[in-house]
Each structure stands twice: as structure tokens, then as C-alpha cells.
Amino acid sequence: DSIALSAQENILSDVLPKKQSITIDIVEQNEAKQEEAEENLIENSTILKQELNKSKAESIFDFNSKVSRPAPELPSTDGIEYPRAAAWASESLNNVLKDEKGRQLFHVFLHDSLAEENLSFIESYDKFKQMTSPADKKQYIQEFFEKYSPYVNLSSVALQKIKETAAKDDPDPAAFLLAVKEVNRLLESDQFPRFKRSDVYINFLEKVMPRSYADKWATSFEALVGNQVNFFLPFPIYFS
């Protein structure tokens, strides 16, 4: 019996380390596979984000995307005189947007610049603030993520605030304030200054000036251009 017991102990002492070694190998292999799977997931996620960003960039800046979108109509020159339109060059964006024709002309410029979603978002938010129905608010937020979020340049903090209020039963419009502030800053500091120097604006001034002033001045049209255009604008304009 003692011999048999000793033999069993020898077998166990020989087998157990092998089992432990096999178990350790299996655990290490599983851990290695898990790490590899996590690395692949991260890599695939990074590639997906890059493709999405590329797709967004192409949709915003590809010239063909602008062609496919209907352009807003230019404002009519009826009922507007030259000083009113020329004053937009020295006024703030807020004042220009209060002018129906100024807002419409700025919209045309933004469309040509592939940036009209910025102003459209601001306009839609003004309507969102007036909503009282939680269902309507949730519908607006859904439209925001579909229509504006892919094209409007917002910080991660601003987007997070919107996502947090979207999860509530009754979304709070105040969660959009940072996003509105960021878009307004972009319009005011970048797109509005370019609008003042754009062909869209200058061409509109050309249309307004002769109709509103030609019959009021006894001097020549050249005198009108020389004395009036440069008076109202912060830069000279010359007409051929």
C-alpha cells in the first residue's frame, strides 16, 4: 500500500505542475487574444472615425455638394435705398440680421461659401426657444443632430451639453446656449467680415445705387459714384 501511495504521489507531483502550466498557458493565450481584439477594435474605431470625418469634410467642401443644393433667392431691390444697404458694411452682424433684406443677402453669401447651416442653426434655435411641448423639443433635437451637427463646427463641451439635455424627458433650451455662442462667434469674426468684401454684397450695392440715387443727383453718375460709394463704405469701389 505504501508503495502504491508513493507511486500515486509521484504521479500527482508530475501531473499537477503540467496541468498548472497548461492552465497558465491557456489564460495567457486568452489574455493575448483579448488584448489583440481590443487593439483591433480601437484601430477599427479610429479608421471609422477618419472615414466619417472625411465624408463630412467632402460633403461640406466638395463643390458638387453646393451645386446640388437649391440657392436662396437674392433679396429684391424694391423698397431699399443705397444708404441702407451701404450701412451694412459698418454695422454689426446682429443689426444686419435684423434687416430682412440684409439677412437674406447674408444667407445667399453663406450658401455660396458652403456655410449656410451656421445661420440656419441660429434661426432654428430661435424657434426652439419658443417651444413648450417636450415632444416638439425632442423632435427639434433629433433634427439638430441630422441637419446641423454634421456641418456646424462645435466644441465637444457644447455637444455634450446638448446630448445631456436630449436624454431628459423635457429638454432644456439653455443647453444650446454654448453652441449658439460658438456659432455666433464664427459668423461675427470670420464669415461676416468676408461677406462685406464679397461679390454678393458689392453686386447688390451696384444694383441699388443707380435706382435710388440717379434721379436725385443733378451731377453725373461718375460724381455720384465718387462722392457716395466711398462715403458709405470703409473701402473704395470702382465701377467700369
Side-chain angles (χ1 to χ4, degrees), residues 77 79-84 208-221 223-225 227-228 232:
T77 56
I80 180 171
E81 293 193 347
Y82 176 75
R84 172 181 164 190
V208 173
M209 183 175 52
R211 293 186 58 180
S212 59
Y213 271 76
D215 58 348
K216 295 182 180 180
W217 279 66
T219 56
S220 66
F221 181 75
L224 169 63
V225 172
N227 287 284
Q228 290 300 305
F232 283 104

Side-chain angles (χ1 to χ4, degrees), residues 94-135:
N94 187 49
N95 285 338
V96 173
L97 294 182
K98 290 178 181 178
D99 188 308
E100 181 181 353
K101 292 184 183 293
R103 175 186 286 266
Q104 189 175 351
L105 190 65
F106 188 48
H107 234 308
V108 173
F109 165 77
L110 290 176
H111 174 271
D112 290 348
S113 303
L114 302 179
E116 62 184 315
E117 288 82 7
N118 290 322
L119 183 57
S120 296
F121 164 59
I122 298 298
E123 292 174 339
S124 71
Y125 174 72
D126 290 337
K127 297 178 181 178
F128 175 52
K129 290 189 299 183
Q130 308 301 321
M131 295 179 182
T132 57
S133 168

Side-chain angles (χ1 to χ4, degrees), residues 35-48:
E35 290 178 358
E36 183 180 359
E38 290 175 351
E39 290 176 357
N40 290 336
L41 181 62
I42 294 173
E43 182 179 357
N44 291 336
S45 177
T46 301
I47 293 174
L48 179 60

Side-chain angles (χ1 to χ4, degrees), residues 74 105 108-109 112-113 193-207 235 237 239:
L74 283 166
L105 190 65
V108 173
F109 165 77
D112 290 348
S113 303
R194 289 192 288 112
F195 162 74
K196 296 177 182 179
R197 301 187 296 271
S198 69
D199 290 340
V200 170
Y201 180 44
I202 301 304
N203 291 340
F204 185 77
L205 287 178
E206 289 183 19
K207 293 178 181 179
F235 49 87
I237 300 177
F239 297 87

Side-chain angles (χ1 to χ4, degrees), residues 79-93:
I80 180 171
E81 293 193 347
Y82 176 75
R84 172 181 164 190
W88 298 338
S90 58
E91 290 184 349
S92 67
L93 173 61

